[in-house]
Amino acid sequence: MILNQSVNRGEVWEINEQGSSFAVIRAQVGLYAKFYDAAGSVVMNTELNQGINLTVSYAKIVLLSKTDMQVQVWVSKFAYDFTAQPDRARTALSRIRPLTYGVNKLLDYDPPRLRASIKSDVGMYIGGENMRVNSGVVENARYYPANSNIETTAYGDVMYFVSNETERVLYKTESAQAMKYVTQHTITRAELEANNVDYFDIKIPPQLHNKQFTIKCIARHDTLSHETAETGWLNITIAPRLLVTNDDIELEDAQDMSRISVFGAAGRFSNEIPKVNDVTLSLSAGTHRVFMVESALDHDAQNKLNHANFGQSFGYFESISSSDDVFLILGNAEIFEERA
């Protein structure tokens, strides 16, 4: 019979079956076995390799692994017969696999696979089924930079790792530059760009076309540091917004904008206390330009501090991110397989 077991490093797998034929169908380096007869005496003590086929009488087998691995063995009184596959490819398969966070499978266990060629648009680690990531340290794997030509003749499970991040940062400020006032209800992309309004681009994959997703916006506002004896208290209304192109900027002129409210508030604000809000929106597939603006030009801001449209406001977006699974696709791997 064929037995399967996931064996951890240092773990013992005891098989209480009588037989005279034993074969290792699937394993990695570092697997050892002791064969016992009915009286409990050791009749054979050996290291095992994948593909080994032994004729030995036993009443019990004890397997010990020096590493984490998936083990598949043949245990029987009947001989195990294996016909080696040809070393020339009969068919070829090609596909693209999206890469996401965590340790994931890139290639399945597949004995007919003779070789595989892999190329990814992001750097990644590649290893076997014993690949682990502990506190950011990748074990039992090799790092390949982006666009490396990777070839493997392994037919076991091949795993990959890019990142453990479970949140995709769409925008993060580098300078805490205050967002500009944009009070117009209707404005074009060209006008915003001409006035140097800060923006970032967001790419919506086809599977998210016109579907709702959520982004987390973190913004900070500082009015307290602008208060003086002359201004007195500044009671300020804030209403940060995102102005987003309706069309794909890579395919269209994309001048029309949608206005997305992030939050609104009034009072005195400290830069030490961020405002966090989740915003739900939907966009067509393609690349959209997202402008970050302050839409409320307050009376106190105008009259006490001479703030003006397209001038700097009191606040800025610290970051905009999403935990939506579609945004956690970190890259793509092109895979070409040659099979027997």
Side-chain angles (χ1 to χ4, degrees), residues 107-122:
L107 298 173
D108 290 318
Y109 172 76
D110 187 6
R113 183 175 62 240
L114 299 177
R115 65 187 57 83
S117 300
I118 305 161
K119 189 173 184 178
S120 167
D121 55 3
V122 294

Side-chain angles (χ1 to χ4, degrees), residues 176-187:
Q177 176 85 8
M179 69 185 95
K180 292 189 174 183
Y181 290 106
V182 177
T183 59
Q184 294 95 321
H185 288 283
T186 303
I187 194 168

Side-chain angles (χ1 to χ4, degrees), residues 90-162:
R90 182 173 62 87
T91 61
L93 298 175
S94 177
R95 66 184 185 279
I96 294 177
R97 172 159 292 182
L99 305 175
T100 185
Y101 61 92
V103 176
N104 295 284
K105 192 177 293 185
L106 186 64
L107 298 173
D108 290 318
Y109 172 76
D110 187 6
R113 183 175 62 240
L114 299 177
R115 65 187 57 83
S117 300
I118 305 161
K119 189 173 184 178
S120 167
D121 55 3
V122 294
M124 64 177 177
Y125 290 87
I126 290 183
E129 59 192 23
N130 62 340
M131 180 177 174
R132 299 286 183 273
V133 179
N134 294 314
S135 302
V137 178
V138 184
E139 301 174 354
N140 304 317
R142 176 182 172 184
Y143 180 75
Y144 293 88
N147 298 312
S148 296
N149 292 310
I150 308 165
E151 289 198 2
T152 178
T153 56
Y155 62 77
D157 292 335
V158 176
M159 314 298 288
Y160 77 86
F161 172 79
V162 177

Side-chain angles (χ1 to χ4, degrees), residues 206-223:
Q207 57 266 46
L208 202 59
H209 176 71
N210 288 337
K211 292 184 179 179
Q212 286 193 337
F213 61 93
T214 301
I215 57 175
K216 181 172 72 175
C217 300
I218 301 177
R220 293 181 185 268
H221 292 78
D222 175 23
T223 62

